[in-house]
């Protein structure tokens, strides 16, 4: 029996690309994350999609700012959630602690507030910072007054 990659692949297949160094790469990478999510038809509200874009911008900008080099962006869909991973070659760990007088460094606090989950792990000479957004299924409200997020129609 011959095993084809198509018979064992889970769709949609994760998409990844290298974001070039420099802050000018952030808007394009952010747009591409949102375009992938729309193309895949991931059920997210408009507000959740805006939050996802903001989180992608923060994580990608952090990777590009702190390394001065490229970063690898991966978008994957898992059952019930969407995950974005950003890998860089900087061994420095993400730091949420910032002084009250500092003007930057609030991105991870924003990530913590907006994403369903986030974290990081070491990989090779650097690290991967990731975040996830839960899919938002809509179901008709039992009284016919619109839809309720997070419910699935029976």
């Amino acid at each position: 029996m011959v095993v084809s990659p198509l018979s064992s692949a889970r769709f949609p297949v994760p998409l990844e690309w290298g974001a070039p160094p420099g802050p000018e790469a952030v808007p394009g990478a952010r747009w591409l994350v949102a375009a992938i999510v729309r193309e895949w038809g991931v059920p997210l509200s408009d507000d959740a999609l805006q939050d996802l874009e903001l989180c992608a911008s923060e994580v990608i900008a952090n990777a590009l700012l702190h390394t001065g080099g490229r970063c690898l962006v991966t978008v994957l869909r898992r059952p019930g959630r969407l995950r974005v991973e950003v890998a860089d070659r900087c061994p420095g760990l993400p730091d949420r602690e910032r002084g009250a007088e500092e003007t930057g460094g609030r991105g991870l606090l924003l990530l913590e507030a907006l994403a369903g989950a986030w974290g990081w792990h070491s990989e090779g000479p650097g690290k991967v910072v990731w975040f996830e957004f839960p899919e938002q299924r809509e179901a008709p409200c039992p009284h016919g007054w619109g839809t309720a997020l997070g419910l699935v129609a029976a």
Side-chain angles (χ1 to χ4, degrees):
M1 179 172 133
V2 176
V3 177
S4 161
L6 292 178
S7 66
S8 61
R10 293 185 318 174
F11 289 95
V13 175
L15 293 177
E16 64 181 33
W17 70 95
E24 62 278 356
V26 175
R30 170 188 174 144
W31 178 87
L32 189 52
V33 168
I36 290 167
V37 171
R38 285 186 186 101
E39 178 65 26
W40 285 350
V42 178
L44 292 176
S45 69
D46 289 341
D47 288 342
L49 186 57
Q50 287 177 351
D51 290 347
L52 176 109
E53 288 184 70
L54 183 55
C55 289
S57 288
E58 290 295 334
V59 175
I60 294 165
N62 281 349
L64 296 175
L65 173 70
H66 295 296
T67 65
R70 298 173 66 88
C71 67
L72 182 67
V73 181
T74 305
V75 181
L76 0 96
R77 190 169 181 191
R78 298 200 168 152
R81 65 189 191 272
L82 180 87
R83 182 176 177 117
V84 177
E85 299 178 348
V86 179
D88 64 46
R89 300 183 60 78
C90 178
L93 305 179
D95 184 9
R96 291 183 14 224
E97 304 300 320
R98 296 288 185 235
E101 300 299 316
E102 293 185 48
T103 58
R106 305 285 189 270
L108 293 178
L109 294 174
L110 188 66
L111 193 65
E112 191 170 281
L114 298 177
W118 79 277
W120 63 272
H121 61 270
S122 296
E123 187 168 291
K127 67 183 168 306
V128 174
V129 178
W130 59 268
F131 63 89
E132 294 179 341
F133 272 71
E135 293 182 0
Q136 297 173 329
R137 304 285 179 191
E138 293 184 354
C141 200
H143 302 290
W145 298 323
T147 58
L149 292 178
L151 300 177
V152 178

